[in-house]
Amino acid sequence: MSGTIVIGPTKSMDVRTVGFLRLVEALRSMRGRSQTATKLLESVDEYGMNMICADGLDPAELRKFDLLVEEIGSMAPVDDTGLVQYLNNVRSLIISDGRYSQARWCRRTR
């Protein structure tokens, strides 16, 4: 599955790996307990685009997105280094966004 993760107007990541599919599937499984996961999936699920759009998130939601990706990474098989590296790259992109440093501490999964 290929797709794009949009963090902001100048920050995005095009992906053509199974990692994007696994990230989307994990976010879908978190939908019931995470408003941020639901918001991130609007472009993928409602509009048929393979995009995770974080550009509309406020600083706290962006930090929650990072925590969700961290949680997904902690559930990845240890020997799946490709997925772990992919998720680390996603986290690096999120953390590099200016909104990330503006966020106060937030709860882990909401």
Side-chain angles (χ1 to χ4, degrees):
M1 175 182 224
S2 64
T4 302
I5 299 173
V6 178
I7 301 297
T10 61
K11 293 184 189 305
S12 65
M13 172 188 261
D14 288 324
V15 291
R16 286 163 183 77
T17 66
V18 71
F20 182 78
L21 176 60
R22 293 192 50 198
L23 178 58
V24 168
E25 288 173 347
L27 289 171
R28 283 181 180 140
S29 74
M30 296 174 168
R31 236 187 294 206
R33 64 180 175 91
S34 173
Q35 294 172 349
T36 302
T38 301
K39 193 171 186 177
L40 288 164
L41 292 172
E42 287 176 352
S43 294
V44 175
D45 291 339
E46 293 181 24
Y47 304 111
M49 296 182 291
N50 292 333
M51 296 180 74
I52 296 173
C53 293
D55 58 335
L57 300 180
D58 64 33
E61 291 170 326
L62 187 66
R63 182 153 294 193
K64 289 174 190 173
F65 179 30
D66 176 55
L67 292 173
L68 290 172
V69 175
E70 179 183 44
E71 183 178 337
I72 293 164
S74 72
M75 296 182 294
V78 178
D79 61 341
D80 193 345
T81 55
L83 178 60
V84 171
Q85 182 60 48
Y86 169 73
L87 295 173
N88 286 338
N89 290 342
V90 172
R91 291 192 69 215
S92 293
L93 188 64
I94 293 168
I95 292 167
S96 72
D97 189 89
R99 292 171 292 165
Y100 186 87
S101 62
Q102 297 171 3
R104 295 177 157 204
W105 181 87
C106 61
R107 283 187 290 175
R108 203 159 175 74
T109 59
R110 289 270 174 210

